[in-house]
Amino acid sequence: VQLQAFGGGLVQAGGSLRLSCAASGRTFSNYRMGWFRQAPGAEREFVAAISTSGGRTYYADSAKGRFTISRDNAKNSVYLQMNSLKPEDTAVYYCGAGVVIATTPNGYSYWGQGTLVTVSS
């Protein structure tokens, strides 16, 4: 499956962004989806994940209460609504597709190219 993430940009602290990830090539609804992020010099870290139906979601502690992951299988897309953004949320955000729900990058077989989110203080 091919993934393309977009929606990143520059936002002030306290602001919001909505990231989107569009999938093509295989049956999107068969895949669990996840969002990860990677800051400069840091490892890729888990942000959120969602089951195939969207009925189950999982969040990193840093994302709980501020971020919401969702998906629209009819549109082959997964989203990450990010509210109350902080400077420490600055990173390249990646979407991944896998056959299991995972909180580590090696649980995902396919990745998008990433979209940069910059939060200014």
Side-chain angles (χ1 to χ4, degrees):
V1 61
Q2 291 79 45
L3 303 173
Q4 183 174 7
F6 53 95
L10 174 64
V11 62
Q12 288 189 330
S16 299
L17 278 175
R18 188 193 194 207
L19 304 184
S20 299
C21 176
S24 62
R26 290 178 182 254
T27 305
F28 175 72
S29 59
N30 288 344
Y31 290 92
R32 286 73 173 171
M33 299 298 296
W35 284 99
F36 285 71
R37 66 187 183 186
Q38 189 166 16
E43 294 184 350
R44 192 169 296 190
E45 66 174 4
F46 171 73
V47 176
I50 191 166
S51 62
T52 53
S53 67
R56 290 179 295 159
T57 56
Y58 306 84
Y59 295 94
D61 287 343
S62 60
K64 288 178 181 176
R66 300 189 300 127
F67 295 1
T68 302
I69 188 171
S70 62
R71 66 189 295 162
D72 185 338
N73 287 341
K75 295 183 177 180
N76 291 344
S77 293
V78 63
Y79 309 99
L80 185 68
Q81 177 67 44
M82 304 187 295
N83 299 328
S84 302
L85 283 162
K86 305 174 182 179
E88 51 263 44
D89 294 318
T90 295
V92 177
Y93 284 71
Y94 297 89
C95 57
V99 296
V100 296
I101 286 284
T103 59
T104 58
N106 58 13
Y108 295 84
S109 302
Y110 304 96
W111 292 95
Q113 84 287 1
T115 185
L116 176 63
V117 172
T118 304
V119 184
S120 63
S121 57

